[in-house]
Amino acid sequence: GWCPLSPTGAQTTQLFVEPPWRPAVLWDRVTLTCQGSGTTGATTWYKDGQRWGQEGPNQFTVTESGTCTCERPSTGISPPMTVLNDQLMLQVPAQALLKGDTVKLRCRG
């Protein structure tokens, strides 16, 4: 799922989250994928505003709670994705929602 969706045609860096639910929870084995222009190996990851390792792959599995972003050379820094470690969570699909949409909620514990 996208987090969040950008306007059609916009050149921005985005984060995909799997499984596609928000907020993401650590015990769900969350995988983040960074997508934007530039070469595959040029993704820089940040956690809680701090650089999280060197430039590397555009996908990884989250092992710590916190707020993640990624940066791609041509399109900049993605919107943030928060991964929580709460014991009970009400989740919504990780996609753009419009007024009047039917939404499937998920209660996890």
Side-chain angles (χ1 to χ4, degrees):
W2 286 102
C3 175
L5 287 171
S6 62
T8 303
Q11 294 296 313
T12 60
T13 302
Q14 297 291 339
L15 274 178
F16 281 108
V17 58
E18 285 295 332
W21 294 91
R22 293 180 62 189
V25 286
L26 190 60
W27 37 267
D28 237 354
R29 190 169 172 81
V30 173
T31 300
L32 298 180
T33 301
C34 189
Q35 186 176 60
S37 300
T39 61
T40 301
T43 301
T44 304
W45 292 95
Y46 298 88
K47 179 177 168 287
D48 299 326
Q50 301 295 315
R51 189 173 177 141
W52 204 14
Q54 301 298 315
E55 290 183 351
N58 67 339
Q59 184 179 77
F60 79 100
T61 300
V62 180
T63 58
E64 301 174 22
S65 59
T67 300
C68 303
T69 56
C70 65
E71 184 174 17
R72 302 286 287 177
S74 301
T75 52
I77 297 177
S78 71
M81 166 62 72
T82 300
V83 181
L84 303 176
N85 197 25
D86 295 353
Q87 294 182 350
L88 184 63
M89 185 65 53
L90 182 64
Q91 295 176 303
V92 298
Q95 63 189 42
L97 300 174
L98 301 174
K99 184 177 179 179
D101 284 351
T102 299
V103 179
K104 182 177 182 179
L105 301 179
R106 182 165 89 159
C107 185
R108 303 291 307 282

